[in-house]
């Protein structure tokens, strides 16, 4: 595998070699050139660019530097990590037949590894062998690391096997590199199997081996297995360090097990192992995630008392925790404090705060943070703008969103907008029923060469259907398919809901069937939309079949499902089924909502079941739901029609006690009920007087109505409390 003598590294590296000015050096003695070169790359403040420039001029002359100087320059450039310069020197020296030394060839391996070309590094092994040098394990370890870093762990394992078969003994670094590569690839069984292999060849697993394994397991959520390795490590006489503890603490905190992480942290302190900023960050981030931001701040104070300086990750996780804990203003204070202290903030820190503020509806404050970023010389990125645009659109500030969007368009040389930017604005405009403007933004996106995605189509299809513009919705659907997008459950749901709302039930049913055939499972939202439309069209049996199917589809009916079916069965006159549905609902632990009670009251009164309606009303009030005007209106009419005078008076007084405000219809119902009770009252005369109180959208409280009625007709004895 590594005996390919024909390998030419000069063909394997990009041609992006720096072309530096070349001057004729024929008049300068060779010894002087070499002395100048050494001065340039050997002195404390080395000037590598000047050294390479002089080297190139010397090579182009007829008197190139000696092999010793060329190799020394090559080695110095590799040590200083100037890999492009190093490869440039290697190419030039070999072109004029100056042979690279062992150290230069080893440096070339490092050049290829560090520039993500481990395959070419492997080819250099052939050159080393051709020159008669012995390849040491250090060179192989570099290549193993290169393969693993690039995610090519199988190639690393293959090379590892060839190393052993060619008589080179792998060391701890070799094994640890393979273990790291396997852990990154989540191949933990193979990684753990290496431990006995190491011991079998007398290369005992060390602290790095165990730390690598534990870190990998913890990142995969397998903290208990990592803890088992900690015990195994201790049994072998290895003491855990801050890296090991840090990996385990991070693992527990990522799983939300703060107490276990804190216990390990306390163990560290007892053993005089000093935690670092990473350890504290893990614990504070966990505290913030579980809402214990005060404890997180206390840990920050403890950390600073130990002389450990917080980093940008520390502050970012605290800001995020404060925002999630409803302390967005505290998060702003923390940011201002950080700025005042001269802490170096990242764009991510600002973005976290902007997101937290937007989620709490504080979009004005979020906008101020964006401006603050710019004032501090920190350019917002596309995430900053997308987050703020989403917040503005979500809370109805679409004009401000458009203004920001247009501003960003002008500054596009600084930030590249993406499809998320446009989708946020389209969503905000559609939410405010500004479909025409949303479509213009959609066309602007296309003009700028930004491809729309499935989210774009889902938003516009749904809005077109809501607006009843069916042809445009279908046109969007067709375009979606032409672009190769695969409709998802949201696409189908938007269309099912849209067609149901505009009364095109057959099309909605067809899309529902197509959805199932396509492998997208219908959601409860889809079932509810179809059941509501079927009940509305009196197709109760089909609705019942869908209701039964919900549970077979691994869904559970919710309150909306039951409300739909209860209303549908009562509308069809099936009282028994309605009662059974109501009882099933209670058995499932679903508490009826205001609509459930309102539907039952309204329908029971239609059937003349006054006592049932009154019972449901009492349950409604007892459960804490506030009856609306329709409920009171239905009850008053029901009591009045049955001649229940006392019930009418009781309900009116109850409404007055609760401070119920009356609209024109409910005022009219009360007056009619009172006129039905007293022959001395004439609704034709009463209504114009009190209807003025509820005209032009105004309302009158039931208490005020009773006071006025008592004033005009004391014989009714309508004393308001």
């Amino acid at each position: 595998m590594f005996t390919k003598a024909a390998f030419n590294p000069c063909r394997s590296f990009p041609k992006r070699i720096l072309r530096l000015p070349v001057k004729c050096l024929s008049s300068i003695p060779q010894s002087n050139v070499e002395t100048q070169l050494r001065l340039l790359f050997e002195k404390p403040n080395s000037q590598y660019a000047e050294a390479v420039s002089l080297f190139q001029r010397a090579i182009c002359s007829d008197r190139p530097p000696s092999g010793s100087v060329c190799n020394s320059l090559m080695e110095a450039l590799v040590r200083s990590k100037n890999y492009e310069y190093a490869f440039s020197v290697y190419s030039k020296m070999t072109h004029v037949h100056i042979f690279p030394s062992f150290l230069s060839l080893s440096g070339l391996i490092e050049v290829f590894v560090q520039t993500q070309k481990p395959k070419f590094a492997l080819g250099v092994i052939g050159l080393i062998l051709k020159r008669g040098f012995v390849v040491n394990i250090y060179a192989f370890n570099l290549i193993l690391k290169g393969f693993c870093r690039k995610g090519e762990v199988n190639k690393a394992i293959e090379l590892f096997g060839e190393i052993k078969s060619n008589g080179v003994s792998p060391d701890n670094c070799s094994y640890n590199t393979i273990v790291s590569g396997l852990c990154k690839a989540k191949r933990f069984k193979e990684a753990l199997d290496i431990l006995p292999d190491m011991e079998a060849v007398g290369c005992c697993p060390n602290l790095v081996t165990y730390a690598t394994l534990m870190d990998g397991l913890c990142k995969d959520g397998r903290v208990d297995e990592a803890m088992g390795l900690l015990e195994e490590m201790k049994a072998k006489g290895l003491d855990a360090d801050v890296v090991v503890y840090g990996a385990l603490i991070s693992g527990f905190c990522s799983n939300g097990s703060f107490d276990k992480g804190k216990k390990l942290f306390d163990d560290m302190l007892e053993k005089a192992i000093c935690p670092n900023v990473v350890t504290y960050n893990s614990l504070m981030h966990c505290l913030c995630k579980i809402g214990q931001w005060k404890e997180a701040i206390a840990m920050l104070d403890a950390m600073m008392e130990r002389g450990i300086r917080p980093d940008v990750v520390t502050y970012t996780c605290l800001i995020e925790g404060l925002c999630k804990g409803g302390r967005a203003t505290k998060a702003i204070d923390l940011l201002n404090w950080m700025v005042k202290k001269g802490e170096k903030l990242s764009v991510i820190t600002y973005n976290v705060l902007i997101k937290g503020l937007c989620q709490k509806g504080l979009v004005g404050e979020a906008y101020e943070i964006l401006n603050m970023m710019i004032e501090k010389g920190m350019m917002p990125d596309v995430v900053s703008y997308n987050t703020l645009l989403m917040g503005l659109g979500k809370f109805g500030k679409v004009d401000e969103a458009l203004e920001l969007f247009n501003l960003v368009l002008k500054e596009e040389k600084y930030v590249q907008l993406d499809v998320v930017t446009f989708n946020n604005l389209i969503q905000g405009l559609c939410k405010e029923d500004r479909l025409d403007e949303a479509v213009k933004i959609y066309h602007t996106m296309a003009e700028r060469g930004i491809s729309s995605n499935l989210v774009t189509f889902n938003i516009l299809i749904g809005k077109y259907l809501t607006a009843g513009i069916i042809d445009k919705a279908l046109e969007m659907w067709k375009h979606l398919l032409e672009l190769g997008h695969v409709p998802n459950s949201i696409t189908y749901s938007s269309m099912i809901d849209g067609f149901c709302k505009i009364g095109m039930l057959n099309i909605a049913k067809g899309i529902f069937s197509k959805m199932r055939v396509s492998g997208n499972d219908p959601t409860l939202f889809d079932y509810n939309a179809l059941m509501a439309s079927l009940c509305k069209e009196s197709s109760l049996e089909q609705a019942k079949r869908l209701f039964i199917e919900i549970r077979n589809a691994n869904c559970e009916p919710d309150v909306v499902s039951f409300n739909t079916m209860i209303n549908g069965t009562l509308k069809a006159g099936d009282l028994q089924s309605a009662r059974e549905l109501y009882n099933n609902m209670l058995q499932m632990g679903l508490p009826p909502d205001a609509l459930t009670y309102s539907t039952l009251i309204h329908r029971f009164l239609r059937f003349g079941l006054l006592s049932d309606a009154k019972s449901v009303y009492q349950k409604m009030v007892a459960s804490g739901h506030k009856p609306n005007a329709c409920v009171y209106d239905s009850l008053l009419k029901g009591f009045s029609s049955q001649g229940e005078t006392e019930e009418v008076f009781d309900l009116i007084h109850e409404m007055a006690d609760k401070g119920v405000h009356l609209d024109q219809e409910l005022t009219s119902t009360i007056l009619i009920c009172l006129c039905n009770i007293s022959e001395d009252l004439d609704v034709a005369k009463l209504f114009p007087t009190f209807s003025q109180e509820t005209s032009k959208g105004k309302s009158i409280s039931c208490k005020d109505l009773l006071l006025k009625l008592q004033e005009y007709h004391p014989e009714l004895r309508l004393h308001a409390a």
Side-chain angles (χ1 to χ4, degrees), residues 172-335:
N172 276 87
C173 183
S174 317
Y175 281 104
N176 290 344
T177 301
I178 295 295
V179 167
S180 177
L182 288 167
C183 285
K184 284 175 183 173
K186 298 187 184 298
R187 292 161 61 174
F188 297 108
K189 186 180 183 305
E190 293 170 75
L192 290 165
D193 287 344
I194 287 176
L195 296 181
D197 291 347
M198 291 179 72
E199 291 170 343
V201 295
C203 190
C204 295
N206 59 15
L207 192 61
V208 175
T209 319
Y210 282 105
T212 303
L213 281 165
M214 284 187 272
D215 183 58
L217 288 166
C218 287
K219 284 176 178 172
D220 198 48
R222 300 162 67 169
V223 193
D224 291 337
E225 290 178 63
M227 286 296 290
L229 284 176
L230 177 66
E231 297 306 316
E232 181 182 315
M233 187 182 85
K234 288 178 180 177
K236 291 182 178 178
L238 293 170
D239 294 324
D241 63 0
V242 66
V243 177
V244 171
Y245 275 109
L248 292 166
I249 289 169
S250 176
F252 279 124
C253 289
S254 296
N255 288 349
S257 303
F258 174 78
D259 291 341
K260 291 181 179 179
K262 181 64 167 58
K263 185 177 182 303
L264 280 174
F265 178 78
D266 293 337
D267 289 344
M268 278 181 72
L269 299 181
E270 285 177 15
K271 292 175 181 176
I273 300 170
C274 186
N276 57 22
V277 67
V278 177
T279 321
Y280 277 104
N281 285 348
S282 297
L283 290 164
M284 284 188 282
H285 189 239
C286 185
L287 285 169
C288 289
K289 278 201 302 184
I290 59 178
Q292 296 184 18
W293 60 272
K294 288 182 180 177
E295 289 80 355
I297 296 290
M299 185 158 278
L300 172 67
D301 293 336
M303 170 183 170
M304 295 174 76
E305 283 174 10
R306 285 183 168 272
I308 300 170
R309 183 180 174 83
D311 61 10
V312 69
V313 177
T314 316
Y315 290 118
T316 302
C317 80
L318 284 172
I319 286 172
E320 185 179 20
L322 287 167
C323 288
K324 287 181 177 177
R327 303 278 175 171
T329 51
K330 288 280 185 186
I332 296 173
D333 292 341
L334 178 58
L335 183 83

Side-chain angles (χ1 to χ4, degrees), residues 270-478:
E270 285 177 15
K271 292 175 181 176
I273 300 170
C274 186
N276 57 22
V277 67
V278 177
T279 321
Y280 277 104
N281 285 348
S282 297
L283 290 164
M284 284 188 282
H285 189 239
C286 185
L287 285 169
C288 289
K289 278 201 302 184
I290 59 178
Q292 296 184 18
W293 60 272
K294 288 182 180 177
E295 289 80 355
I297 296 290
M299 185 158 278
L300 172 67
D301 293 336
M303 170 183 170
M304 295 174 76
E305 283 174 10
R306 285 183 168 272
I308 300 170
R309 183 180 174 83
D311 61 10
V312 69
V313 177
T314 316
Y315 290 118
T316 302
C317 80
L318 284 172
I319 286 172
E320 185 179 20
L322 287 167
C323 288
K324 287 181 177 177
R327 303 278 175 171
T329 51
K330 288 280 185 186
I332 296 173
D333 292 341
L334 178 58
L335 183 83
N336 289 330
W337 181 74
M338 289 164 66
V339 171
K340 190 175 179 181
K341 279 191 66 182
E343 294 288 345
K344 189 176 180 181
L345 307 179
S346 70
V347 177
I348 295 172
T349 311
Y350 283 104
N351 287 350
V352 164
L353 182 53
I354 289 170
K355 182 181 178 182
L357 291 168
C358 286
Q359 286 176 336
K360 298 298 178 184
L362 302 171
V363 287
E365 288 83 349
Y367 217 137
E368 288 176 14
I369 296 298
L370 185 81
N371 290 329
M372 179 182 174
M373 280 180 77
I374 298 167
E375 287 170 11
K376 299 292 179 186
M378 179 80 68
M379 280 305 300
D381 61 10
V382 69
V383 176
S384 318
Y385 288 114
N386 286 349
T387 306
L388 187 50
L389 282 170
M390 182 183 288
L392 290 167
K394 182 180 178 181
F395 292 98
K397 296 184 180 292
V398 183
D399 291 323
E400 289 90 335
L402 279 168
E403 184 182 339
L404 177 62
F405 175 76
N406 290 324
L407 182 68
V408 179
L409 281 182
K410 291 176 186 175
E411 302 293 328
E412 210 169 0
K413 61 183 176 181
Y414 300 113
V415 59
Q416 289 294 317
L417 302 181
D418 58 15
V419 66
V420 178
T421 318
F422 287 90
N423 285 347
N424 284 335
L425 193 55
I426 290 168
Q427 177 80 62
L429 288 165
C430 286
K431 188 179 175 185
E432 295 297 310
D433 295 326
R434 293 163 67 170
L435 180 56
D436 290 342
E437 292 172 82
V439 172
K440 283 181 184 177
I441 298 296
Y442 167 72
H443 290 309
T444 301
M445 178 168 62
E447 288 164 9
R448 290 181 170 268
I450 298 172
S451 300
S452 48
N453 61 14
L454 194 56
V455 175
T456 321
F457 287 105
N458 288 346
I459 296 166
L460 289 171
I461 287 172
K463 194 60 190 176
Y464 272 131
L465 286 172
T466 303
I469 310 172
I470 302 166
D471 57 333
K472 289 291 183 182
L474 294 175
E475 187 180 308
M476 277 282 171
W477 169 265
K478 183 181 176 183

Side-chain angles (χ1 to χ4, degrees), residues 554-718:
N554 294 321
C555 290
E556 284 293 337
D558 61 3
V559 177
V560 176
S561 317
F562 278 103
N563 286 349
T564 300
M565 294 307 299
I566 287 169
N567 187 50
T569 52
L570 286 172
K571 181 183 172 184
D574 189 352
L575 293 169
Q576 182 61 32
S577 294
R579 292 182 198 278
E580 288 173 2
L581 283 164
Y582 178 76
N583 290 330
N584 287 341
M585 186 179 180
L586 296 176
Q587 287 168 7
M588 282 181 62
L590 286 173
D593 62 9
L595 183 58
T596 319
Y597 291 117
S598 300
T599 301
L600 288 167
I601 290 167
H602 182 68
R603 293 293 181 186
F604 281 160
L605 288 169
R606 284 274 186 96
F607 289 112
L609 301 171
L610 199 59
S611 60
D612 291 283
K614 185 178 176 182
S615 173
V616 172
Y617 170 75
Q618 289 167 346
K619 288 176 183 176
M620 181 181 192
V621 173
S623 64
H625 290 291
K626 189 176 179 181
N628 60 18
C630 290
V631 171
Y632 287 122
D633 192 74
S634 295
L635 283 167
L636 286 169
K637 286 174 180 174
F639 290 145
S640 180
S641 66
Q642 298 290 326
E644 298 284 348
T645 303
E646 191 175 339
E647 297 286 2
V648 170
F649 277 108
D650 287 346
L651 186 57
I652 291 173
H653 280 107
E654 186 180 326
M655 291 164 64
D657 292 341
K658 290 180 178 178
V660 174
H661 278 256
L662 314 176
D663 59 17
Q664 196 166 358
E665 186 175 348
L666 189 49
T667 303
S668 172
T669 299
I670 291 173
L671 295 176
I672 290 170
C673 288
L674 293 175
C675 289
N676 288 339
I677 293 167
S678 175
E679 294 178 359
D680 296 330
L681 294 179
D682 184 355
V683 71
K685 293 178 181 178
L686 279 174
F687 185 69
T689 303
F690 292 103
S691 66
Q692 291 174 8
E693 304 287 343
T694 56
S695 62
K696 299 179 182 178
K698 295 180 181 178
S699 64
I700 182 174
S701 74
C702 190
K703 183 177 181 179
D704 289 341
L705 179 66
L706 293 189
L707 288 171
K708 287 180 180 293
L709 282 169
Q710 182 65 28
E711 181 184 343
Y712 297 140
H713 298 278
E715 72 277 7
L716 287 173
R717 296 189 297 280
L718 294 169

